[in-house]
Each structure stands twice: as structure tokens, then as C-alpha cells.
Amino acid sequence: MKTLVIGANGKIGQHLVRLLAEHPEHTVKAMIRKPEQRVFFEDLQAETVLASLEGSVEELQKAMSDCDAVVFTAGSGASTGADKTLTVDLDGAAKAIEAAELAGIDRFLMVSALRADDRSHWTKEMTPYYIAKYHADRILQSSSLAYTIVRPGLLTDEAGTGQIAAAGHLEPGSVSRQDVAAVIVACLEDTELENKVFELTSGDSSIENALKTI
């Protein structure tokens, strides 16, 4: 399976590209915005492609045309305003989904956010982000793609433990970005997780066992 990682230069994306590049049954293409970002991925011997979520659907379709799956783990980041959240987290995701349909992609995996479907959970300062995630998820669910939507809790940079909790709804909690990346790899390999949505936090079950309960 060849996977395009959108948001490859982000923290989850870098973990994910490393895992896929080292995996004997996967190949990976990292989508980056700037040529200088290539260095990290060249060290992993991972293919790169220059493309932007603020570009055209055709640009994204070309970037993923030789791939079997797409992982969307991009985000505008906390330092940007609501305008970038709209153009990257929402419209960028919508364009990537449209491009994947046009490219005949088999699988599309979205990294969303815990309680993205529950407006009562949205804090005032994070509302634009949750709005983007809520509608991006719905666009994916209404597409023709075989999707998996992962909704992690508060993301940390701690080392992954491989111990998680996964379910349709969980109490708020945190999870390491490294563990999120490992869960994504597991989802790509499991057709039983197609067209499923689940929340993800640290827990006391192995990734394999936790995902069996979804």
C-alpha cells in the first residue's frame, strides 16, 4: 500500500512517515509545502511531493495519483487565525477528499478531534477549529471513499506507550502523537475499520486489542 500523508511535516505526520517508511509492507509519499522541508524525509528515504492545501483540487489529485490511500493530518496550527483554519482545516480537507475521489483512492483516513461532533464540548477559543473538523468529517462521510475518522484527545509529545483507549465516545483525555501515528498505521491495515469513526486517548489496552472493539 502506498500512502500520501497530507500534513507530513507536522508532528503526527513526521511520526507517521517514519513508521510507514520503515514498514516492509508500506511505501509512503510525504506532501510538503516548502522545498527545505525535504531534508527530514530524505533522511528517511521517503518520497516527497510539493503541493498546497490552498492550491487547486487538480494539484492535490496529481500529488496522490499513484497512491492507494491518503491520510489527512494537516492543520493550520495554533498560531494562525480563523481564516487559515477555514482554508486549511476545512476547505483543504474538502479539496483533498474531492481529489481523492477523482484519483480513485481506496482509503482516506482523517485525523479529527475528540468530541468534534458534540457542539456542547466546544470551547469558545477553539470553536473555529471544531467547526472545521465537524464539517470536514461530514464531507468525508458523505463521499464515495472508504474512510476512517480518528478523533484523538489532547495531543502530547510524550513517547508513545502503545496503550490506548478507543471507542465511539470517550471521556476527555490525552494521547501522544506517536501513538496516534501508530494507530493510523493499524487503521490502514484493517479493512474492518473502514467507514468507522472513533475517539482515541491513552488507555490500558494494546492498539490491536483496542481497535478490535470499534
Side-chain angles (χ1 to χ4, degrees):
M1 178 182 287
K2 184 173 184 178
T3 300
L4 176 73
V5 178
I6 299 177
N9 201 54
K11 292 182 178 180
I12 293 175
Q14 289 187 353
H15 285 302
L16 178 59
V17 172
R18 183 186 300 277
L19 288 175
L20 292 174
E22 294 173 349
H23 199 293
E25 297 178 8
H26 289 271
T27 54
V28 61
K29 183 191 289 189
M31 191 176 113
I32 56 176
R33 293 184 298 112
K34 301 174 183 178
E36 56 266 31
Q37 294 172 342
R38 282 198 175 105
V39 176
F40 175 86
F41 302 103
E42 287 174 347
D43 288 344
L44 299 176
Q45 297 184 319
E47 182 183 355
T48 58
V49 60
L50 280 171
S52 172
L53 288 171
E54 295 180 274
S56 66
V57 171
E58 291 74 22
E59 178 184 353
L60 295 173
Q61 180 186 356
K62 183 178 179 181
M64 63 181 70
S65 62
D66 59 343
C67 295
D68 306 297
V70 171
V71 174
F72 189 97
T73 183
S76 56
S79 62
T80 61
D83 56 337
K84 285 292 185 180
T85 302
L86 183 66
T87 57
V88 174
D89 299 64
L90 177 51
D91 193 48
K95 287 189 287 190
I97 293 162
E98 182 179 346
E101 289 183 303
L102 292 171
I105 295 296
D106 296 325
R107 293 289 305 280
F108 196 108
L109 198 145
M110 177 77 77
V111 178
S112 181
L114 190 139
R115 300 289 175 86
D117 60 339
D118 180 4
R119 289 185 175 93
S120 68
H121 176 78
W122 301 357
T123 59
K124 183 177 180 181
E125 62 273 15
M126 293 291 289
T127 292
Y129 172 77
Y130 278 114
I131 289 172
K133 290 300 185 185
Y134 174 84
H135 289 287
D137 289 355
R138 288 173 67 89
I139 291 167
L140 178 56
Q141 288 174 289
S142 65
S143 75
S144 63
L145 300 168
Y147 65 83
T148 306
I149 298 173
V150 182
R151 292 175 170 160
L154 180 67
L155 297 168
T156 76
D157 290 325
E158 296 175 3
T161 65
Q163 298 293 111
I164 64 164
H169 289 284
L170 294 170
E171 290 301 311
S174 63
V175 62
S176 77
R177 291 176 171 89
Q178 192 171 5
D179 279 335
V180 175
V183 167
I184 292 168
V185 175
C187 289
L188 288 170
E189 297 175 335
D190 190 348
T191 57
E192 294 296 318
L193 292 170
E194 290 182 3
N195 303 324
K196 298 288 182 68
V197 183
F198 64 92
E199 296 184 342
L200 172 66
T201 63
S202 295
D204 54 12
S205 296
S206 69
I207 290 173
E208 180 181 5
N209 287 339
L211 294 182
K212 287 179 181 177
T213 68
I214 302 301

